[in-house]
Amino acid sequence: LFLDEAVEERFLEKTSGRYQFSHDKLQAVFQLSMKKEEREQFHLLIGRQLLNHTNDIFVYQAAVHLNRVNKNLLTTSQEQVHLAKTNLQVSRYCEFKSAFLESVHFLRKGLALLNSKDKWTANFDLTFAISEALARMEFIMGNLYACKSMNKEVLNRAKSDEAKNRALLLEVEVRVAANELSEM
């Protein structure tokens, strides 16, 4: 009923059974009128609903909304880990779309969601996958210092020869880019 009134007043538009703000400015005003806690609850609700879809765009939007929420509002550590996995998935989608800066953003958010004390023991595979992807994306973005730092962690934590070789290859690429080959 409320949504239909908002459509009548042209605050919202209804297309294909979905509601959206008729203008970005209306959305901004709506969000600014909410208290921070209400806004975070709103993003949490929207993000959780969007995670029920498998479409890349919906999963991307879910991550956008859930990343705006204080991680303490995520009810369990499993939910935080699931969001970290979602951020890794979305970062790959962004990389595929050549949105490299966004990819870095999602990877950093993913790492931040994992418990800093035991992320390497409790979630090794996920932490390694995010860290390895972040090192590569930092290189693509030209952030050689950040790449070196993350890649050093990846190299130190790598369990397989294949993973170590990927990290060493990236180290060579960074040194070539920074004209530091003589230091190897």
Side-chain angles (χ1 to χ4, degrees):
L1 182 66
F2 170 75
L3 293 175
D4 292 332
E5 289 176 22
V7 170
E8 275 184 39
E9 296 293 326
R10 294 195 171 109
F11 291 117
L12 296 177
E13 295 173 349
K14 186 175 181 181
T15 55
S16 303
R18 294 183 9 201
Y19 294 92
Q20 66 183 36
F21 285 97
S22 58
H23 197 281
D24 290 345
K25 298 275 186 198
L26 288 172
Q27 182 178 0
V29 168
F30 175 74
Q31 287 185 355
L32 287 174
S33 70
M34 300 170 81
K35 293 178 183 170
K36 182 181 180 192
E37 296 80 20
E38 291 173 325
R39 198 168 38 249
E40 285 189 349
Q41 287 294 331
F42 191 66
H43 286 298
L44 186 62
L45 176 68
I46 293 170
R48 285 177 172 160
Q49 288 296 316
L50 290 170
L51 273 181
N52 293 326
H53 299 276
T54 57
N55 179 297
D56 287 340
I57 300 296
F58 285 110
V59 175
Y60 170 87
Q61 286 298 326
V64 168
H65 282 282
L66 292 171
N67 284 337
R68 291 180 179 167
V69 172
N70 183 320
K71 82 176 191 177
N72 295 329
L73 288 177
L74 301 174
T75 54
T76 64
S77 61
Q78 288 85 4
E79 190 174 21
Q80 291 178 6
V81 169
H82 181 66
L83 180 54
K85 288 178 186 176
T86 302
N87 274 295
L88 176 59
Q89 176 186 349
V90 169
S91 77
R92 290 174 177 154
Y93 170 77
C94 290
E95 182 180 359
F96 176 74
K97 296 288 189 180
S98 299
F100 303 127
L101 185 59
E102 276 192 285
S103 181
V104 168
H105 167 77
F106 285 109
L107 291 166
R108 287 180 183 164
K109 285 288 193 176
L111 267 184
L113 285 162
L114 300 173
N115 185 335
S116 60
K117 292 180 183 176
D118 68 349
K119 67 183 175 192
W120 285 105
T121 53
N123 298 292
F124 179 86
D125 291 338
L126 178 59
T127 304
F128 189 85
I130 293 173
S131 299
E132 187 175 41
L134 182 55
R136 190 180 71 254
M137 290 310 303
E138 293 287 13
F139 175 73
I140 289 170
M141 290 297 300
N143 300 330
L144 300 183
Y145 179 78
C147 174
K148 282 181 184 180
S149 176
M150 185 57 61
N151 197 48
K152 182 178 181 181
E153 181 81 21
V154 167
L155 186 57
N156 289 336
R157 301 283 185 164
K159 291 182 177 179
S160 71
D161 289 340
E162 182 182 343
K164 288 177 185 175
N165 287 339
R166 286 192 308 268
L168 288 170
L169 179 60
L170 181 58
E171 184 177 335
V172 169
E173 290 176 306
V174 169
R175 289 177 184 259
V176 167
N179 201 18
E180 298 174 351
L181 275 181
S182 61
E183 296 177 23
M184 286 189 82

